[in-house]
């Protein structure tokens, strides 16, 4: 680390990027926690960005809740028909690829993601805990029979909105967690177990306001992990983090790779 001295006082020239790169280099059990912000540069809006988040529209916000889906499944699937191509055509970003590389290097234990877009897997990541579910599968709300996204997409394309189960004719729903629903318990508990062994939690692109995921940084800190936050806007953990990178994710990843040689 370079040091300069001004009026006899040692000042560090190491900035937050250098500090973050240093912590990443020192860590061998990294866990990444990702949110919608990691996928915005892939063309998928996040939820709460003031200018572009899904939740700027109250109707969209309502349809992402369990009661919104129950009251207006047709509206939910009309929205789904509009949004699905965004999700299906999206490509992993530099940040997704960076995390996949850290896993291959043997430094990253796993990714805990709130995202349903499957971009971590598209980037090549293997250990991914999708705590808010995913779009790959769906199930009948009546007989619980599972179905694939392809089956749901076909029905929507044929204007069967909402799509119905071939067997019992109840409405089919995607295997995502809607606001107000409990998380898939097994997946979440397994993810929390990973935090007990992690030496660095790297949070990328989440406002950290939705629980229980918003407790994850606290759990990591309680187990003495370092905490790096990479998010354009402040979060409730900024004061407790070892490094706060309040900047665009893509820009930060390029700089981290440059400085750290990852
Ligand atoms: P949010 O939309 O709440 O937060 C995304 C964060 O990423 C915001 O703070 C943005 O400022 C930041 N961000 C967006 N693009 C960025 C970029 N290119 N560079 C840097 N920062 C950027 O999304 P989540 O925290 O993922 O849950 O939301 C959590 C949950 O809220 C979602 O999983 C969803 C929703 O309710 C359910 O539906 C259950
Ligand atoms: Zn059924």
């Amino acid at each position: 680390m370079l040091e300069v001295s001004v009026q006899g006082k040692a000042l560090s020239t190491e900035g937050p990027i250098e500090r973050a790169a240093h912590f990443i280099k020192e860590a061998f059990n990294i866990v990444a926690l990702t949110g919608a912000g990691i996928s915005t540069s892939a063309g998928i809006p996040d939820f709460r960005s003031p200018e572009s988040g899904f939740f700027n529209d109250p109707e969209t916000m309502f349809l992402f809740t369990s009661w919104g889906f129950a009251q207006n499944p047709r509206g939910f699937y009309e929205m789904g028909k509009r949004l699905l191509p965004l999700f299906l055509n999206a490509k992993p970003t530099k940040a997704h690829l960076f995390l996949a590389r850290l896993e291959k290097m043997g430094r990253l234990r796993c990714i805990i993601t709130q995202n349903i877009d499957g971009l971590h897997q598209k980037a090549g990541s293997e250990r991914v805990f999708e705590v808010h579910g995913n779009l790959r599968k769906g199930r009948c709300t009546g007989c619980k029979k599972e179905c694939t996204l392809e089956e749901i997409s076909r029905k929507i394309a044929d204007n069967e909105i909402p799509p119905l189960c071939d067997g019992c004719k109840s409405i089919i729903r995607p295997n995502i967690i809607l606001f107000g629903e409990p998380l898939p318990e097994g997946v979440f508990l397994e993810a929390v177990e990973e935090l007990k062994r992690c030496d660095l939690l790297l949070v990328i692109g989440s406002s950290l306001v939705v629980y229980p995921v918003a407790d994850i940084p606290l759990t990591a800190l309680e187990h003495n992990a370092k905490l790096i936050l990479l998010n354009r806007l402040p979060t409730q953990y900024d004061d407790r983090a070892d490094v706060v990178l309040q900047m665009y994710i893509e820009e930060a990843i390029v700089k981290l790779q440059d400085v750290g040689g990852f």
Side-chain angles (χ1 to χ4, degrees):
M1 179 175 102
L2 274 174
E3 283 201 340
V4 290
S5 152
V6 176
Q7 291 177 339
K9 225 172 149 187
L11 290 179
S12 166
T13 56
E14 196 185 50
I17 287 284
E18 286 77 10
R19 275 169 59 76
H22 171 75
F23 286 135
I24 293 171
K25 273 194 157 168
E26 288 223 312
F28 284 92
N29 285 309
I30 303 171
V31 172
L33 169 61
T34 63
I38 196 173
S39 298
T40 52
S41 62
I44 304 173
D46 64 8
F47 295 93
R48 297 177 183 80
S49 274
E51 63 288 358
S52 54
F54 281 131
F55 288 176
N56 284 312
D57 173 20
E59 181 60 17
T60 304
M61 188 167 183
F62 173 69
L63 292 173
F64 269 109
T65 63
S66 56
W67 52 97
F69 178 76
Q71 280 180 36
N72 188 4
R74 187 179 172 83
F76 177 87
Y77 276 105
E78 273 161 359
M79 173 181 81
K81 190 172 181 174
R82 249 184 316 113
L83 296 182
L84 203 54
L86 280 188
F87 284 90
L88 297 183
N89 297 329
K91 298 207 165 49
T93 68
K94 285 195 171 88
H96 292 97
L97 296 168
F98 174 64
L99 294 180
R101 192 154 51 250
L102 287 181
E103 185 181 21
K104 299 247 151 38
M105 289 164 75
R107 291 177 178 275
L108 184 131
R109 291 184 67 83
C110 68
I111 297 170
I112 304 172
T113 188
Q114 299 165 88
N115 300 343
I116 56 170
D117 55 33
L119 287 182
H120 287 301
Q121 289 88 340
K122 275 195 195 170
S125 289
E126 288 180 20
R127 300 197 69 224
V128 184
F129 294 95
E130 295 169 309
V131 291
H132 288 172
N134 63 70
L135 284 172
R136 287 185 295 279
K137 292 228 167 100
R139 63 183 187 278
C140 169
T141 53
C143 69
K144 313 290 178 217
K145 185 169 168 267
E146 275 211 344
C147 61
T148 61
L149 174 64
E150 287 67 35
E151 288 170 69
I152 300 178
S153 301
R154 209 175 314 122
K155 285 175 188 282
I156 297 175
D158 290 344
N159 272 326
E160 187 181 319
I161 295 179
L164 302 178
C165 169
D166 291 332
C168 76
K169 304 297 174 203
S170 300
I171 294 171
I172 293 171
R173 59 162 292 169
N175 274 352
I176 62 174
I177 306 300
L178 295 165
F179 201 84
E181 290 181 327
L183 266 49
E185 201 171 292
V187 178
F188 190 70
L189 289 180
E190 246 187 283
V192 168
E193 276 303 303
E194 295 289 332
L195 295 168
K196 297 182 182 162
R197 289 181 288 273
C198 109
D199 50 8
L200 168 64
L201 181 70
L202 177 55
V203 183
I204 304 183
S206 177
S207 59
L208 297 175
V209 294
V210 174
Y211 289 85
V213 169
D215 275 331
I216 283 179
L218 192 62
T219 309
L221 288 169
E222 280 168 1
H223 288 88
N224 300 316
K226 293 262 185 293
L227 176 61
I228 298 177
L229 300 175
L230 169 49
N231 204 62
R232 193 162 62 91
L233 295 178
T235 74
Q236 59 167 318
Y237 286 100
D238 287 5
D239 291 345
R240 305 189 60 179
D242 294 278
V243 185
V244 180
L245 300 171
Q246 208 171 301
M247 57 200 293
Y248 280 99
I249 293 165
E250 297 266 307
E251 185 193 343
I253 295 294
V254 169
K255 288 186 173 163
L256 274 176
Q257 288 179 316
D258 234 31
V259 169
F262 305 111

